[in-house]
C-alpha cells in the first residue's frame, strides 16, 4: 500500500513490531508556544496567578503526559522513559517558548513523548490562565531534534536551536 509503517499490506492499522530492533540511546527535543497578553505573561512570571505557580504545574503536567503518551496516541509503544525535562522561556512580552527533552534506552524513538509533553504543558498554561485571558493561543508545536535508532540523527533544518 505505502511506506507508512503503521499500516499492513491490506491497509489495516497496526502497531509496528519493534521486538527485534536493538536497544539504543534515543532522545527527542520538541518546542511549542503559548501566546497571551503582556499582563498575563507578567502575572505568570511574577507568580500572581491564583491557581498557583503556572510553570511548575505545567511542567508536572507535561512530564506526566510524556509518561502516558501510549495511552493517548493509539499506535505508540509504552516506554519506560529515562528522563523528561521541560523549560519555559519568555521570548517577548506575549510569548512563552516551551521546550521538552525526552530520553530513553529503547527500541523506538521518543518524538511523540516530547511533542506530547510540550502540548500538554501548553494546554495547562491555558487552563490555569483562561479566567484572565481567554484570547490566549497555543502553537505551533515542532520536533526540533531526534537521535538514536536506525534512522539516526535528525535536526530540524530551519530551527537548529530554539
Amino acid at each position: 500500500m505505502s511506506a507508512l509503517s503503521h499500516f499492513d499490506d491490506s491497509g489495516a492499522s497496526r502497531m509496528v513490531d519493534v521486538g527485534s530492533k536493538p536497544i539504543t540511546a534515543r532522545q527527542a527535543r520538541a518546542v511549542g508556544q503559548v501566546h497571551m497578553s503582556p499582563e498575563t505573561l507578567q502575572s505568570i512570571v511574577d507568580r500572581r496567578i491564583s491557581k498557583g505557580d503556572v510553570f511548575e504545574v505545567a511542567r508536572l503536567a507535561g512530564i506526566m503526559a510524556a509518561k502516558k503518551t501510549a495511552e493517548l496516541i493509539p499506535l505508540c509503544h509504552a516506554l519506560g522513559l529515562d528522563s523528561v525535562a521541560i523549560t519555559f522561556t519568555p521570548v517577548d512580552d506575549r510569548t512563552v517558548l516551551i521546550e521538552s527533552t525526552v530520553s530513553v534506552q529503547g527500541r523506538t524513538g521518543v518524538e511523540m513523548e516530547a511533542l506530547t509533553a510540550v502540548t500538554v504543558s501548553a494546554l495547562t498554561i491555558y487552563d490555569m490562565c483562561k479566567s484572565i485571558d481567554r484570547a490566549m493561543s497555543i502553537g505551533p508545536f515542532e520536533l526540533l531534534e531526534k537521535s538514536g535508532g536506525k534512522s539516526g540523527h535528525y535536526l530540524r533544518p530551519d530551527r537548529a536551536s530554539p
Side-chain angles (χ1 to χ4, degrees):
M1 177 175 175
S2 76
L4 295 175
S5 61
H6 286 93
F7 297 100
D8 66 17
D9 291 337
S10 69
S13 300
R14 68 177 176 139
M15 188 172 187
V16 175
D17 182 354
V18 298
S20 63
K21 293 170 79 174
I23 293 174
T24 62
R26 294 161 182 270
Q27 187 176 72
R29 286 189 315 127
V31 292
Q33 296 181 9
V34 182
H35 310 277
M36 62 195 73
S37 73
E39 296 80 19
T40 300
L41 181 52
Q42 195 59 56
S43 292
I44 292 170
V45 169
D46 293 343
R47 295 185 172 130
R48 289 185 286 121
I49 301 296
S50 63
K51 292 184 179 182
D53 187 327
V54 173
F55 289 156
E56 288 311 311
V57 173
R59 185 183 333 274
L60 289 173
I63 291 168
M64 292 171 64
K67 296 186 322 184
K68 297 208 172 263
T69 300
E71 295 176 32
L72 301 169
I73 311 295
L75 301 177
C76 282
H77 293 82
L79 300 171
L81 302 178
D82 294 333
S83 70
V84 179
I86 301 172
T87 60
F88 303 92
T89 307
V91 293
D92 60 32
D93 68 341
R94 297 178 161 273
T95 306
V96 173
L97 179 74
I98 306 165
E99 181 174 339
S100 69
T101 303
V102 179
S103 64
V104 70
Q105 294 284 327
R107 291 183 167 95
T108 189
V110 287
E111 298 95 307
M112 296 308 299
E113 288 75 7
L115 286 161
T116 299
V118 169
T119 304
V120 171
S121 293
L123 289 169
T124 301
I125 291 170
Y126 185 94
D127 179 56
M128 291 187 73
C129 299
K130 67 183 182 242
S131 66
I132 61 169
D133 189 355
R134 294 211 186 263
M136 287 179 291
S137 62
I138 60 174
F141 301 98
E142 303 172 321
L143 177 69
L144 289 182
E145 183 175 16
K146 63 92 52 203
S147 61
K150 183 176 155 185
S151 64
H153 187 247
Y154 167 80
L155 186 61
R156 187 174 183 86
D158 60 337
R159 296 269 313 255
S161 63

